């Protein structure tokens, strides 16, 4: 990057330039979608692999293109690198890596996890202090890893808040207490 060979991407005007994200055993590379940049990336990967005695696993390596990249350029890049294209980056540590909009449906997995975890609890044996502690420590902490990188829909907050109230005040589908 210092030599102006690798051109990283910028997600927003004035935002930071991103060239890579490194995880435990995964590496995400970000580069402008053109053949000159692909050649530069390929050379850098070759140097990296040679110096570490490693090899890129072509079967596990995928390419994700921005919607702004023309299909001709996509085909040329895929052909040059020999990697498969994807439209879904999936999840990493339970957090979706990419999504198009903020909606309740995108984060339904959080609500499902909260419901699943809380349905196993025997809260009838706990005092109100125990139920408050349980909701604060476990239920309210569940979405924090997702919230570090994503703005959640207000509907998700409302669902989690409702579940917390139900657990604290011992609401069930058949009974409701005043609070």
């Amino acid at each position: 990057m210092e030599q102006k060979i690798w051109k990283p991407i910028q997600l927003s005007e004035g935002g930071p330039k991103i060239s890579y994200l490194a995880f435990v055993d995964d590496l995400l590379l970000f580069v402008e979608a053109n053949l000159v940049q692909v050649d530069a990336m390929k050379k850098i990967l070759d140097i990296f692999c040679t110096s570490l005695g490693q090899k890129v696993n072509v079967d596990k390596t995928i390419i994700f293109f921005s919607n702004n990249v023309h299909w001709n350029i996509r085909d040329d890049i895929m052909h040059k690198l020999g990697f498969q294209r994807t439209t879904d980056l999936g999840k990493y540590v339970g957090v979706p890596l990419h999504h198009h909009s903020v909606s309740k449906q995108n984060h339904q997995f959080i609500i499902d996890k909260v419901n699943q975890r809380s349905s196993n609890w025997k809260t009838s044996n706990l005092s109100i202090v125990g139920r408050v502690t349980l909701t604060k420590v476990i239920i309210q902490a569940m979405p924090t890893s997702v919230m570090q990188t994503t703005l959640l829909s207000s509907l998700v907050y409302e669902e989690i808040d409702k579940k917390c109230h139900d657990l604290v005040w011992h609401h069930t589908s058949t009974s409701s207490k005043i609070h």
Side-chain angles (χ1 to χ4, degrees):
M1 284 177 45
E2 288 175 4
Q3 297 171 359
K4 307 285 189 228
I5 296 169
W6 184 297
K7 292 183 184 173
I9 65 166
Q10 196 169 7
L11 299 176
S12 64
E13 192 174 322
K17 294 181 178 184
I18 302 171
S19 60
Y20 72 94
L21 293 174
F23 297 98
V24 176
D25 59 351
D26 293 312
L27 182 63
L28 293 163
L29 301 175
F30 301 93
V31 66
E32 287 182 5
N34 63 54
L35 293 176
V36 172
Q37 287 298 290
V38 168
D39 285 337
M41 181 181 72
K42 198 168 175 153
K43 284 179 187 173
I44 292 168
L45 274 175
D46 289 342
I47 293 167
F48 178 80
C49 289
T50 302
S51 66
L52 293 176
Q54 304 252 334
K55 190 175 180 183
V56 174
N57 187 336
V58 178
D59 295 330
K60 290 184 177 181
T61 303
I62 55 174
I63 302 174
F64 180 86
F65 292 101
S66 162
N67 290 336
N68 302 332
V69 180
H70 193 271
W71 66 269
N72 285 344
I73 295 171
R74 291 178 189 191
D75 286 347
D76 290 346
I77 291 171
M78 288 172 26
H79 178 73
K80 188 162 208 148
L81 292 174
F83 303 147
Q84 293 296 311
R85 177 177 173 236
T86 188
T87 57
D88 181 15
L89 292 174
K91 294 180 180 181
Y92 189 80
V93 193
V95 179
L97 291 175
H98 180 265
H99 52 82
H100 296 286
S101 63
V102 176
S103 70
K104 181 180 173 187
Q105 190 161 351
N106 288 347
H107 298 106
Q108 184 63 40
F109 71 96
I110 296 170
I111 296 168
D112 293 343
K113 189 175 177 181
V114 165
N115 288 331
Q116 177 189 8
R117 180 68 70 86
S118 62
S119 68
N120 296 334
W121 293 336
K122 305 285 187 231
T123 56
S124 58
N125 298 333
L126 294 174
S127 68
I128 190 163
V129 174
R131 292 191 303 268
V132 167
T133 303
L134 198 60
T135 58
K136 280 187 173 186
V137 172
I138 297 177
I139 298 293
Q140 291 179 348
M142 283 183 174
T144 55
S145 60
V146 177
M147 291 167 50
Q148 292 176 19
T149 58
T150 307
L151 178 64
L152 296 181
S153 160
S154 61
L155 296 172
V156 173
Y157 292 121
E158 289 171 15
E159 286 281 331
I160 293 171
D161 196 40
K162 182 182 181 323
K163 189 52 143 180
C164 289
H165 284 172
D166 288 351
L167 286 168
V168 168
W169 297 108
H170 215 7
H171 286 246
T172 65
S173 59
T174 57
S175 72
S176 180
K177 294 189 178 180
I178 298 173
H179 64 279

